[in-house]
Amino acid sequence: MKNYQTPRGTQDVLPEESYRWQQVETAMRQLCRLYGYDEIRTPIFEDTDVFKRENDSSDMVNKEMYTFSMGEGDSLTLRPEGTAGVIRSFVQHKMYGRSELPVKLWYKGEMFRHERPQKGRYRQFNQFGIENIGLKSPLIDAEVIALGYQLVKNFGLSQIKVLINTLGDAASRSAYRAVLKEHFKDAVEELCPDCKRRYQQNPLRLLDCKVDRDHWSMQHVPSLQDSLTEASKTYFKEVLAALDALKIPYEVDEKLVRGLDYYTDTVFEVVSTHPESGSQSAVFAGGRYDGLVEYFGGPEMSGVGFALGMERLILLAEAEGIILDKKPDCDVYVMALGEVGEVPLELATRCRKAGWITECNLVPRSLKAQFKSVDRRKAKAVVIAGENEIQNHQITIKHILTQRQVTVDLTQLEETLAAMLKEEGE
Ligand code: ATP
Ligand code: MG
């Protein structure tokens, strides 16, 4: 017999775990409401070109994409990230002309990357992300970082830090590329195959290499700071000043270049400093992109955003000992004794209408077995529909904690339970 299992790098979210996922999702939704972001849902697959842009040197695009064709001359790719699809949609629906700028969007959903699976690194994983599109201001960059930071803080993560850097504008970057080409000229032959490719395609990405981190050529790399235009320097200073004003602690990390090629000016990564996070320490990351809207055929427009790894957020919360939501205990358990027909189901339905989490015994079972279920579901109150009582149009209601028990008329179900459930806190 074949042993059916989840594919490598994927996982089932089991019922007992789904509550913490819902908790994270609820927190995200609420925060986006406060910041005025609207949800957008784009397809899980797109034309490959949406992700694979000309001359893109990132690993994600070059090595990690799930690309397939259905033989219709098309090439499709399971989305490895959210931004490209959102910008494609922004342009396709001409959102820049319909709404006030900036357009503020959030998304969440599954992303797919063919990576080597490890703790906190999967082939199917979930991201929550935001995109703020249409205007450029250092204050917007700071506000975007603040939203992500607040989410992680609200969740209770304490061991985190914001790493931030600027890649400068187009002029700064092209000047810096030339400097890097010169610096790595004699080293490139000794570097990993990816670095050789990066040297040709986009030398900036050399600084993001995880393999050659300790190579001599990586030790005294000329700083991008020296290639920055005055405008870019000022812009970055203003981002930092805004973070100071918002009391968001950060560290300027001149080596931070981020994995994707489309970033300009501000880039950031929020990492966990918890010992268990290992090399999967980035919780969320993002930056500003200047050319992307135009690339997809829209007007010249800047945007900024980040994506947060939801699995990583949950793992880190657990590592920090934060108690996450679990299945809620039940308020009421309806027991059935003897030939009572559909009465228990009717009673349970009334309880649910009243807003109580209710379980109901729907198959013939002994009293003992039913009390076991009451225990297991940690019910606060029990409604007992016994044969004799039902004949008299009555039910017995028992409060588990106080052991108080009353027999009342069937019509008094809701008011009796309401009073009893209130007792609990006393
Ligand atoms: P890393 O350096 O860890 O590979 P990345 O730069 O590829 O991250 P981004 O593309 O910026 O990551 O994605 C944003 C966030 O999504 C990351 O900070 C991380 O929390 C999460 N993430 C990225 N790849 C994975 C993955 N394979 N499995 C789980 N989460 C991931
Ligand atoms: Mg990666």
Side-chain angles (χ1 to χ4, degrees):
M1 255 274 269
K2 191 175 148 93
N3 185 14
Y4 293 99
Q5 300 276 321
T6 44
R8 216 163 109 72
T10 69
Q11 49 196 344
D12 295 320
V13 174
L14 298 178
E16 63 266 26
E17 296 159 347
S18 60
Y19 290 92
R20 60 184 85 139
W21 279 88
Q22 289 172 17
Q23 181 187 3
V24 176
E25 287 161 9
T26 305
M28 290 170 348
R29 263 194 206 100
Q30 285 171 346
L31 204 58
C32 285
R33 244 175 103 95
L34 295 182
Y35 278 78
Y37 280 74
D38 302 315
E39 186 182 5
I40 181 164
R41 302 186 188 201
T42 62
I44 276 179
F45 59 88
E46 299 265 0
D47 284 341
T48 300
D49 299 347
V50 170
F51 306 113
K52 201 177 176 68
R53 289 169 300 275
E54 265 165 63
N55 218 5
D56 195 301
S57 68
S58 67
D59 282 356
M60 193 197 77
V61 168
N62 285 283
K63 300 197 305 194
E64 299 172 358
M65 297 209 302
Y66 282 90
T67 296
F68 60 99
S69 161
M70 297 309 286
E72 293 159 5
D74 51 352
S75 175
L76 300 167
T77 293
L78 297 182
R79 63 181 181 198
E81 55 117 355
T83 304
V86 169
I87 303 300
R88 192 264 315 131
S89 177
F90 175 82
V91 173
Q92 179 176 337
H93 302 286
K94 297 191 174 59
M95 284 186 221
Y96 44 84
R98 291 199 278 117
S99 334
E100 192 178 347
L101 299 179
V103 173
K104 299 193 283 183
L105 304 169
W106 72 268
Y107 61 85
K108 76 157 180 66
E110 296 79 3
M111 305 294 158
F112 304 86
R113 297 186 194 176
H114 194 263
E115 302 201 65
R116 194 170 66 78
Q118 306 164 54
K119 189 176 180 195
R121 188 176 297 283
Y122 312 102
R123 290 181 171 175
Q124 175 177 324
F125 62 99
N126 286 269
Q127 279 184 343
F128 156 72
I130 66 168
E131 306 297 342
N132 184 309
I133 318 161
L135 298 178
K136 185 167 182 175
S137 150
L139 296 180
I140 295 180
D141 297 15
E143 190 190 43
V144 163
I145 295 172
L147 190 159
Y149 188 78
Q150 194 178 340
L151 177 68
V152 171
K153 277 284 168 190
N154 284 356
F155 228 74
L157 288 198
S158 58
Q159 303 184 31
I160 50 163
K161 64 178 178 189
V162 179
L163 303 176
I164 188 163
N165 191 23
T166 177
L167 302 180
D169 52 16
S172 314
R173 288 163 60 123
S174 91
Y176 188 49
R177 254 183 229 123
V179 172
L180 286 179
K181 279 219 146 176
E182 181 59 29
H183 173 82
F184 284 107
K185 192 176 59 182
D186 299 326
V188 63
E189 278 312 311
E190 296 170 20
L191 298 178
C192 74
D194 286 324
C195 278
K196 291 195 178 79
R197 174 173 52 78
R198 290 171 183 141
Y199 183 81
Q200 296 305 332
Q201 280 185 316
N202 183 1
L204 253 167
R205 290 291 325 286
L206 286 164
L207 307 183
D208 202 24
C209 184
K210 292 187 175 96
V211 181
D212 288 321
R213 203 174 264 165
D214 298 323
H215 190 266
W216 59 266
S217 63
M218 297 286 180
Q219 304 316 310
H220 301 285
V221 182
S223 168
L224 169 70
Q225 309 308 309
D226 301 330
S227 302
L228 290 180
T229 60
E230 280 311 309
S232 284
K233 276 187 200 161
T234 309
Y235 189 91
F236 191 47
K237 265 190 211 137
E238 287 173 11
V239 175
L240 300 184
L243 291 178
D244 286 333
L246 295 175
K247 299 196 171 51
I248 296 177
Y250 58 83
E251 222 169 80
V252 175
D253 176 356
E254 291 181 8
K255 279 197 169 177
L256 183 71
V257 295
R258 302 286 313 122
L260 298 166
D261 272 5
Y262 49 61
Y263 289 117
T264 41
D265 286 304
T266 318
V267 286
F268 54 88
E269 196 163 291
V270 174
V271 298
S272 167
T273 52
H274 194 279
E276 270 179 45
S277 61
S279 61
Q280 276 62 255
S281 62
V283 193
F284 71 89
R288 182 165 280 285
Y289 40 86
D290 272 356
L292 211 49
V293 175
E294 214 181 347
Y295 182 91
F296 282 106
E300 204 181 318
M301 233 173 218
S302 186
V304 58
F306 69 73
L308 173 144
M310 293 169 66
E311 284 83 358
R312 287 196 196 170
L313 180 64
I314 291 175
L315 280 172
L316 288 171
E318 283 169 350
E320 284 205 28
I322 294 158
I323 312 280
L324 299 171
D325 281 359
K326 53 181 185 24
K327 185 179 177 116
D329 295 338
C330 100
D331 298 308
V332 183
Y333 191 97
V334 183
M335 288 168 67
L337 298 178
E339 299 293 316
V340 287
E342 59 283 357
V343 175
L345 183 55
E346 281 172 9
L347 295 173
T349 306
R350 279 168 60 186
C351 290
R352 288 164 183 153
K353 275 191 187 148
W356 296 308
I357 302 172
T358 308
E359 293 286 354
C360 181
N361 184 76
L362 297 174
V363 292
R365 283 198 310 158
S366 71
L367 189 64
K368 200 171 150 207
Q370 294 190 48
F371 264 114
K372 238 190 197 145
S373 300
V374 172
D375 229 30
R376 219 174 272 140
R377 285 295 282 114
K378 298 197 178 67
K380 299 183 184 90
V382 181
V383 173
I384 304 161
E387 214 172 311
N388 293 340
E389 289 153 315
I390 294 304
Q391 270 165 15
N392 297 329
H393 212 255
Q394 285 188 319
I395 37 163
T396 297
I397 303 180
K398 183 173 176 176
H399 189 254
I400 295 291
L401 207 68
T402 60
Q403 293 285 303
R404 203 163 75 80
Q405 179 171 318
V406 290
T407 299
V408 296
D409 191 82
L410 262 180
T411 53
Q412 290 173 304
L413 172 77
E414 287 87 350
E415 58 185 284
T416 316
L417 266 174
M420 256 191 192
L421 290 171
K422 230 192 262 163
E423 263 171 34
E424 203 190 25
E426 289 165 8

